[in-house]
Structure formats: structure tokens, C-alpha cells
Amino acid sequence: MSSVTVPPEQDTTTRERVLQLVVEQGPVSAAELARELDLTPAAVRRHIAVLEDHRQIVVHEPGGPVNRRRGRPARHYVATDAGRAGLSDAYSDLATHALDYLVQVAGPESID
């Protein structure tokens, strides 16, 4: 049986995509990230573990009552300040442009 080795640069790129999705969609679960990235949950959890070790994401602790189902509850992740800072400036520029556009189209009160 042969194993596939992922080149380090591809692994980093995937990890950056995981981080970006956590920033954009958080709190988000590993299963949701796996569906979005078309990866296995196990592959996503490996990236999550590295991002947690680097303190770029943390487990989100929901406030208030939570509807519990049977089994272990899914962990949901959010980005830390360090995680947001770890993304390229292009993401910040895109967010700034999007907010500027929203103000132009819908007015300053739309930002609230």
C-alpha cells in the first residue's frame, strides 16, 4: 500500500485556507470546514491542531443555553487576534473595500 506525501507548501496553503475560513465563518466546526474545503474531517483536524498550537484559533465557548444532542458536542473554532494577523494584508484590504462599498451603497448606519 502506498502513502501519499503532501508537499509542505501545499500543507501550509491548506492550513491558511482553514484559518481564513475560521476567520470568515467562525464559530465553525471541523465538519463544516471539511465540507467547505472538500477534505476529510481528520485532515481538517490536523490543521486545526497546528493552528491551536500556534494560538491562531481557539475553541469557541457558546454563551447561553445550548441545544444538546446525543453524543459528544462538536467543537466550534474562532480565530484569535494572532490568527487574524497571520493572514495576508490582502484579506484586510478586501474587508476594508467591502465595508467602504457597503457605506456607499447603504449608508454609514449599515455598518452597525
Side-chain angles (χ1 to χ4, degrees), residues 14 16 26 36 47 52 54 60 67 69 92-93 98 104 108 112:
T14 302
E16 288 171 356
E36 183 78 24
H47 292 294
E52 281 184 300
H54 289 106
H60 172 71
N67 291 334
R69 297 187 316 212
S92 296
D93 292 342
Q104 289 174 0
D112 292 334

Side-chain angles (χ1 to χ4, degrees), residues 26-50:
V28 62
S29 70
E32 292 165 334
L33 292 168
R35 278 192 299 275
E36 183 78 24
L37 295 169
D38 197 28
L39 297 170
T40 65
V44 170
R45 281 192 292 276
R46 283 196 315 269
H47 292 294
I48 285 172
V50 172

Side-chain angles (χ1 to χ4, degrees), residues 22-99:
V22 171
V23 169
E24 292 172 1
Q25 299 179 9
V28 62
S29 70
E32 292 165 334
L33 292 168
R35 278 192 299 275
E36 183 78 24
L37 295 169
D38 197 28
L39 297 170
T40 65
V44 170
R45 281 192 292 276
R46 283 196 315 269
H47 292 294
I48 285 172
V50 172
L51 292 168
E52 281 184 300
D53 287 346
H54 289 106
R55 298 185 184 348
Q56 292 182 299
I57 64 172
V58 293
V59 175
H60 172 71
E61 299 296 335
V66 178
N67 291 334
R68 297 277 173 152
R69 297 187 316 212
R70 295 207 305 200
R72 190 169 116 202
R75 290 181 175 183
H76 288 78
Y77 300 91
V78 293
T80 63
D81 289 340
R84 283 189 228 43
L87 292 176
S88 70
D89 289 335
Y91 178 77
S92 296
D93 292 342
L94 175 63
T96 301
H97 290 301
L99 290 172

